Amino acid sequence: MKRKLISAIGIAGMVVSIAACGGEGGGGGSDKGADAKELTVWLTVDAQNNWPELVKAADAALRKKHPGVRINHEYYGWPDKNAKLDAVLATDKAPDVVEMGNTEMLGYMVKGAFAPLDASEFDNSDAWLDGLKASVTYEDKTYGVPYYAGGRVANWRGDVAASVGVKTPPKTYRELTAALDKIQKKRGGKFSAWYQPTRDWYAAMSFVYDAGGAIATESGGQWKASLSSPESLKGLKEFKNVVDRYMHGDKTKDESDRYIVYGQGKSAMIFAAAWEGATAEDPKNDKTGKLKGNLENFVMPGPSGRNMPVFLGGSDLAVPVKSDARALAAEWIDAFTGSSGQKGLMAKGNLPNNKTDLATLKNDPKTAVPAIAAESNWFVPMAPGWGQVEKAQILQTMLQSIGTGKKSVEAAAKEADTAIDKVINTK
């Protein structure tokens, strides 16, 4: 699940007065609001439309402990949620619980918008998935609770693979490329054996992290871009190799309409969010009539010999620092994201927020692939200026230059490092 990270600049105005009223006490570790009689919870429409019974269960759990408490729910769409949140955080009427896309958290944590929480007070916090834990952690403090996750998997057309004698999904990167080479040779230059949008930085950075590289590294409290490191360059060069050999579509595109392109039948494979394959085979998108029953998810093997590390998208829950019911908010979050809530979310097709529950999904053939894939994951640098890196689309620009051949991998990476270093440490 992809969320656009709000620019740190864009929320500067809303937090002018937040730092003054923040303090160290917050969330589960604070008594502030323990006797509050009212709680306001902001969630996205995903919860309203897909698992309202889980919301009701969390409400019931809180009311059992606090009879008479009033719980108000407001639901927002992803496109307009942050603008409304920014506006209300500039007032004294902040909600008590807010849902955030995990890539949206950083800008708000940097600016002091959320209260620190005591992670030990939340179910399974010692087993949170690494990428999700990173999304709620800033300067060694916890400012949110992971809610659920969505991972990335490889998906290919089994019928196309079978046409070149490959009957089962590959287990290794060498097996994968051997199969794709056969498919590409048979289908010709107008067909993409692997449709891999050039500007898809989530996929490209998986190659970087698989090779032992990183977007940026931290030392002594300062972040420095590292796309020009030998390890990162190795990953970027293999990404370019994939684009050059198998991607025969528009090499200036991003991944936003990948499932639509996949549904047109001009490609045999994608490396994408787990929902994209199923969406491509929906009759509305399947222009071939051949995708249903022929698409197979599999764990993406990495060139390193290990499973490819994947970016974990998803949602977190946070408590605004201006909340008058912080303790109550923390209790509601724990009821909603705890063990019973995670089971309910998994039943709806989501990945859980923790390794313990994730392990149970590995035993079910229907859920094994996304669960195994999610075990190896990465997240964006938790640097104060990361929002500015995303806003400037530095990674996308670099990848387009590499994919189109406008610049060498080394030159594009060096230019990206320079641009990243200018803003990554800026609050």
Side-chain angles (χ1 to χ4, degrees):
M1 183 181 302
K2 180 181 175 183
R3 309 293 187 220
K4 296 293 185 181
L5 179 63
I6 189 168
S7 166
I9 297 174
I11 63 173
M14 82 174 180
V15 294
V16 170
S17 62
I18 284 177
C21 63
E24 290 300 312
S30 170
D31 289 332
K32 182 177 181 180
D35 57 351
K37 302 301 182 184
E38 187 170 358
L39 188 75
T40 298
V41 178
W42 281 21
L43 299 172
T44 68
V45 292
D46 296 335
Q48 183 182 33
N49 296 335
N50 300 320
W51 43 86
E53 70 278 11
L54 301 183
V55 178
K56 292 179 181 178
D59 290 352
L62 190 68
R63 290 192 178 106
K64 185 175 181 179
K65 293 178 64 177
H66 303 274
V69 66
R70 179 180 178 183
I71 306 173
N72 307 306
H73 291 283
E74 296 184 30
Y75 296 93
Y76 296 91
W78 286 105
D80 59 353
K81 174 183 66 71
N82 285 352
K84 293 179 179 179
L85 178 60
D86 296 349
V88 77
L89 288 180
T91 73
D92 293 323
K93 297 181 179 180
D96 304 298
V97 177
V98 294
E99 177 181 351
M100 306 294 296
N102 62 354
T103 59
E104 297 171 342
M105 284 289 294
L106 182 56
Y108 289 84
M109 293 190 294
V110 168
K111 294 298 181 181
F114 297 144
L117 303 173
D118 181 353
S120 68
E121 295 185 5
F122 297 93
D123 227 1
N124 290 313
S125 60
D126 58 344
W128 284 344
L129 296 177
D130 295 339
L132 300 185
K133 182 178 180 180
S135 75
V136 299
T137 306
Y138 181 66
E139 293 185 341
D140 297 323
K141 293 182 181 179
T142 301
Y143 289 94
V145 175
Y147 171 11
Y148 66 95
R152 282 166 168 73
V153 298
N155 180 288
W156 78 357
R157 289 183 57 177
D159 57 336
V160 175
S163 73
V164 295
V166 180
K167 302 296 180 62
T168 58
K171 300 295 185 182
T172 68
Y173 193 71
R174 179 173 292 182
E175 289 177 359
L176 172 63
T177 56
L180 292 176
D181 286 341
K182 292 178 182 179
I183 292 171
Q184 193 65 66
K185 182 178 180 180
K186 180 174 182 177
R187 291 300 182 110
K190 293 184 178 181
F191 187 84
S192 294
W194 175 349
Y195 181 75
Q196 179 51 64
T198 308
R199 291 172 65 88
D200 176 12
W201 64 276
Y202 296 103
M205 293 305 105
S206 286
F207 279 89
V208 167
Y209 282 93
D210 179 69
I215 300 171
T217 57
E218 185 268 340
S219 179
Q222 290 291 301
W223 287 85
K224 185 169 180 58
S226 56
L227 292 169
S228 294
S229 72
E231 296 82 4
S232 295
L233 288 175
K234 181 179 179 181
L236 288 172
K237 287 178 179 178
E238 184 54 35
F239 180 75
K240 176 175 171 53
N241 182 46
V242 166
V243 172
D244 287 347
R245 290 169 68 180
Y246 307 123
M247 168 61 178
H248 299 289
D250 183 351
K251 293 185 179 180
T252 66
K253 285 178 65 66
D254 65 15
E255 71 280 10
S256 60
D257 65 347
R258 172 170 42 209
Y259 66 94
I260 295 175
V261 176
Y262 196 31
Q264 293 171 350
K266 297 179 181 180
S267 53
M269 173 186 150
I270 56 175
F271 173 39
W275 58 265
E276 292 187 53
T279 305
E281 71 177 15
D282 185 292
K284 297 192 301 291
N285 299 313
D286 180 7
K287 304 305 180 183
T288 70
K290 299 178 180 179
L291 299 188
K292 191 71 173 180
N294 281 318
L295 296 187
E296 298 178 80
N297 280 337
F298 59 94
V299 178
M300 180 69 187
S304 67
R306 300 179 295 272
N307 291 342
M308 184 77 90
V310 299
F311 176 83
L312 285 182
S315 283
D316 299 325
L317 297 174
V319 180
V321 74
K322 287 189 174 183
S323 166
D324 291 324
R326 293 189 206 170
L328 209 61
E331 289 184 43
W332 188 92
I333 291 174
D334 188 42
F336 190 51
T337 63
S339 295
S340 62
Q342 291 301 308
K343 287 180 174 60
L345 288 165
M346 288 189 290
K348 297 291 185 177
N350 301 293
L351 292 176
N353 66 4
N354 66 90
K355 299 171 185 176
T356 305
D357 286 324
L358 187 72
T360 67
L361 297 181
K362 293 164 58 179
N363 300 321
D364 184 342
K366 295 179 181 178
T367 56
V369 168
I372 293 171
E375 287 184 308
S376 178
N377 55 78
W378 62 272
F379 199 65
V380 299
M382 296 302 285
W386 177 252
Q388 297 183 58
V389 175
E390 279 214 37
K391 183 182 180 183
Q393 297 193 355
I394 295 171
L395 296 180
Q396 293 94 321
T397 299
M398 174 190 71
L399 293 171
Q400 184 170 323
S401 294
I402 291 172
T404 59
K406 182 179 179 180
K407 293 179 181 176
S408 68
V409 173
E410 291 83 357
K414 183 177 180 180
E415 184 176 277
D417 278 350
T418 299
I420 290 171
D421 285 338
K422 288 180 179 179
V423 298
I424 197 168
N425 291 298
T426 304
K427 289 188 178 182

